[in-house]
Amino acid sequence: MMRTTDHHHEHDEDHSTSASAAPLAPTRAAGPARGRSRVLQGVALTSVLTLALTACGGSADGEDSEDAAAEGEDVTLSVTTFNEFGYEDLFEEYEELNENITIEHNKIDTAENARDSLRNSLGAGQGASDIEPIEVDWLAEFQQYPDRFEDLTDPELEDRWLDWKYEDAVLEDGSLIGYGTDSGPQAVCYRADLFEEAGLPSEREEVAEFLGDTWEDYFDAGREFVAESESAWYSGSDNIWQGMINQVEVPYQNEEGEVIADENPEVRDLYDQLLQASVEDELSAGLAQWSGDWSDAFQREETFATMMCPGWMLGIIEGNAAEVEGWDIANTFPGGGGNWGGSYLTVPSQGENIEQAKELAAWLTAPEQQLKAFEVVGAFPSTTEALEADELLSSTNEFFNDAPTGEILAERADAVETQPLKGTEYLTINVAIQDAINRVDVDGIDDPDASWEKFVNDMEALR
């Protein structure tokens, strides 16, 4: 079974920030203490950002923003995305429909770097794109600064999205911070060829049954696989952790905003269960998700057999595993259903083309465009009309062995029972516990108990 040992350098590189000159630009600590440094850094950034936003003289309601162009005048709109939103063709279509509009696309490699970039721009009072994405894991964090974003409330659009998708973006005063893009119901992607080589069932219905219903069933299947294969069961613990923690109703902060992550027995039990499977039972390839080595591993002969797979992951797998045959998707998920990710498009108030940006954000998130993005990169829709469309339910994905991905993900969406409470520190805490997990699984510098103690110290620093 493959365990990667040469990825540390690349792992650290992956977490370098793309921001440079902004006054709040974070720096990434490298090496063994990276996890603790990042959490403490998160605490510091929160304080600095608050001060910076207070000091900035920008408008609370966009009064200082002036549309750069009157109707019909040439306008350039900047749009930031991260990973794969599937918007490239849509930008061209919008420019053809609106001859006076030119769109500049700022595509950032990871969600974390996009979040850092937006923090820096808001802190500096300049530099944000006309349209900025916010991922659901950092939505509550940016909702603390409503005066930095335009209110996107529109009575004609408020019934467009799933109720929970819309309501999560509504602020206490009733204003709307963003238009929903995709959602992330999860299935399990797998390499049918590796299953066959290990003498295991490889057809997607058989695989769904083989994987079972619980996390322990999934790990047991992995133990059976690695006993007959040179490949790992999954790429790394942080991919699996996202599937597990998104099934916990109150994981890291309670309703009062108090940090409970290190005192929550449900979180500790999942941590122990995962690291037992990853390290002791050698189910993990030891790859940090989003690292260069993780991306490269999709092309290796000895790699990994399964991944937690929200719809948006389909495009990432296809991109990394281009010309690799054997990927498929099973209509099941350990522990029931689960939603991982999904984003919103916001319009920062510091922009100069507010009205045009609002119109573009509304157009990009309309059912028709969500269906097109799903076809291109698997970004699963969050609008009710798109979710009921025959075009979605009958869609298949050639790369994934012509799997009926629309039907599978729609059924996985129905299986989602829990939307975790994600507080203002959700991302910071989730990064800290992923660092704790990776110190054991990826870096191999701590045992589970020692790494957990460092995580506890990180949480103490947050309180």
Side-chain angles (χ1 to χ4, degrees), residues 131-147:
I131 294 176
E132 287 277 350
I134 291 182
E135 207 265 348
V136 64
D137 285 0
W138 18 294
L139 180 62
E141 175 186 348
F142 284 96
Q143 284 176 331
Q144 297 177 102
Y145 313 110
D147 59 337

Side-chain angles (χ1 to χ4, degrees), residues 153-204:
T153 302
D154 184 339
E156 295 184 1
L157 300 181
E158 62 185 13
D159 294 327
R160 174 186 273 185
W161 293 272
L162 293 168
D163 288 345
W164 64 266
K165 184 72 177 182
Y166 183 85
E167 290 166 1
D168 278 358
V170 176
L171 307 180
E172 289 185 0
D173 63 0
S175 60
L176 184 70
I177 195 172
Y179 290 146
T181 59
D182 60 328
S183 60
Q186 299 181 86
V188 177
C189 291
Y190 71 99
R191 285 279 300 272
D193 56 322
L194 298 181
F195 274 57
E196 287 179 9
E197 291 173 8
L200 299 174
S202 60
E203 297 295 328
R204 63 181 70 100

Side-chain angles (χ1 to χ4, degrees), residues 36-56:
R36 177 170 174 74
S37 298
R38 291 176 68 186
V39 172
L40 295 175
Q41 179 185 71
V43 176
L45 279 172
T46 300
S47 302
V48 174
L49 179 62
T50 302
L51 291 172
L53 292 178
T54 302
C56 284

